[in-house]
Amino acid sequence: MAGKKQEMYDEQLLQLQEIDFVLLELNLYLDTHPGDIQAIQQYNQLAMKRKQMQMEFEAAYGPLLHYGQSYTKYPFQWIESPWPWQV
Amino acid sequence: MWLYEKKLQYPVKVSKCDPMMAKYLMEQYGGADGELSAALRYLNQRYSIPNEVIGLLTDIGTEEFSHLEMIATMIYKLTKDATPEQLKAAGLGEHYVMHDHALYYQNSAGDAFTATYLQAKGDPIADLYEDIAAEEKARATYQWLIDMTDDVDLQDGLKFLREREIVHSQRFREAVEILKVERDKQKFF
Ligand SMILES: [Fe+2]
């Protein structure tokens, strides 16, 4: 990846990392506050938005998950670089 | 089971080749209070902890693996372009002889990871206090690592990890309170 595409990738990846961070924080909070209805509403709303963002990201850059949890184009995209530590 | 997600939890950037800093970071890779130790400790405790806190141990234990991957990424990026001479000058001469540029689960002094870093007492309060202590020790280590470098990109990733230890400690403290309430309930009936 180079130039414009790299920039787009970095930007969209960061957006995923941001929403995932909020979801993780809500998850850990709910682990010890399971009765907080507002936090649960926020969790479910963001989970839905996250699914949409994942689909858009994967359509542009390939699968985030393995074992059939993401779709793949031909040839098998899962094995394509870059891996996270190479970005 | 677990799934792998092909992304880091938080972006890892370094601004220079710095094998000396990589050596220090190994404390959080294969050290006593490091991320491998944390992940294995929490996930292993799940089988004997009361149901109320199994979810928390599962989720924090899983997050620790994503921190392990961030530390690995830091070490990889800090050493990938280092020559044998640079590694030797950084105190990684023995590491190069044994492992070349491979990562290895060891602490900053080169001692191999050992399961003796983990406790599993089967007593929920004892185990959770150990977890709180582990998080506080990891937080302190991250502060000292931040103090050891002037690389602001690296510091940014380390500050994120330091903050996560604070959140984990807080959640474990809440878990202790939940178990105390449950324990007191049982006394009355
Ligand atoms: Fe932690």
Side-chain angles (χ1 to χ4, degrees):
Chain A
M1 261 188 289
K4 188 81 188 145
K5 192 175 180 198
Q6 178 75 50
E7 250 174 63
M8 293 268 291
Y9 172 82
D10 290 348
E11 176 59 31
Q12 277 187 269
L13 179 63
L14 190 65
Q15 282 172 8
L16 261 184
Q17 285 166 327
E18 283 169 358
I19 192 168
D20 282 354
F21 181 73
V22 181
L23 278 161
L24 168 64
E25 272 290 86
L26 280 166
N27 189 154
L28 297 190
Y29 170 81
L30 284 165
D31 285 341
T32 55
H33 304 77
D36 188 329
I37 183 89
Q38 275 182 318
I40 286 175
Q41 281 168 353
Q42 211 184 346
Y43 183 87
N44 284 331
Q45 275 168 10
L46 285 170
M48 204 192 289
K49 187 174 170 210
R50 205 280 178 190
K51 275 212 168 71
Q52 187 61 39
M53 287 171 68
Q54 179 180 341
M55 273 170 52
E56 288 164 17
F57 184 90
E58 291 181 328
Y61 307 108
L64 282 165
L65 296 168
H66 52 172
Y67 295 172
Q69 302 292 313
S70 297
Y71 296 107
T72 177
K73 291 177 191 156
Y74 175 89
F76 194 46
Q77 285 180 295
W78 176 249
I79 61 169
E80 282 174 12
S81 302
W83 288 87
W85 54 94
Q86 298 166 336
V87 177
Chain B
M1 77 166 286
W2 274 267
L3 290 172
Y4 181 70
E5 191 161 11
K6 204 173 177 178
K7 70 178 188 20
L8 295 180
Q9 188 191 6
Y10 184 88
V12 167
K13 293 196 183 78
V14 308
S15 55
K16 59 185 173 192
C17 173
D18 187 351
M20 182 89 85
M21 202 54 211
K23 183 176 193 289
Y24 297 146
L25 283 168
M26 288 175 194
E27 192 61 34
Q28 287 305 93
Y29 194 60
D33 309 312
E35 301 294 353
L36 179 66
S37 194
L40 298 181
R41 179 185 298 112
Y42 307 149
L43 294 173
N44 180 63
Q45 287 174 355
R46 297 182 303 160
Y47 305 96
S48 53
I49 210 90
N51 285 343
E52 290 86 349
V53 290
I54 294 178
L56 183 68
L57 284 173
T58 302
D59 296 334
I60 295 184
T62 300
E63 187 184 353
E64 304 296 3
F65 276 124
S66 59
H67 296 170
L68 187 68
E69 188 182 33
M70 283 178 66
I71 294 290
T73 301
M74 289 173 185
I75 295 172
Y76 166 76
K77 289 188 172 182
L78 290 168
T79 55
K80 70 180 165 60
D81 300 322
T83 63
E85 289 71 32
Q86 285 174 310
L87 291 169
K88 189 179 167 189
L92 287 172
E94 294 84 350
H95 182 99
Y96 178 73
V97 168
M98 282 189 277
H99 310 291
D100 194 341
H101 280 70
L103 273 67
Y104 191 66
Y105 292 115
Q106 60 189 14
N107 70 9
S108 54
D111 299 326
F113 178 82
T114 158
T116 55
Y117 292 154
L118 329 171
Q119 293 294 322
K121 210 29 84 173
D123 179 279
I125 299 294
D127 282 349
L128 284 168
Y129 278 150
E130 149 134 347
D131 300 346
I132 294 166
E135 294 293 336
E136 297 299 337
K137 286 186 280 181
R139 173 188 53 74
T141 307
Y142 278 122
Q143 186 56 55
W144 298 331
L145 286 167
I146 291 163
D147 296 344
M148 292 298 272
T149 181
D150 58 2
D151 180 339
V152 288
D153 287 328
L154 181 61
Q155 281 179 338
D156 183 64
L158 291 171
K159 283 176 185 170
F160 172 84
L161 292 169
R162 180 190 62 190
E163 297 309 300
R164 297 312 296 153
E165 309 302 355
I166 295 170
V167 172
H168 291 175
S169 173
Q170 178 62 32
R171 295 280 98 95
F172 282 135
R173 286 162 202 258
E174 290 162 0
V176 168
E177 294 311 309
I178 289 168
L179 291 188
K180 281 183 183 165
V181 169
E182 284 302 309
R183 186 191 57 191
D184 292 345
K185 264 191 213 160
Q186 279 164 13
K187 272 186 196 153
F188 293 120
F189 296 111

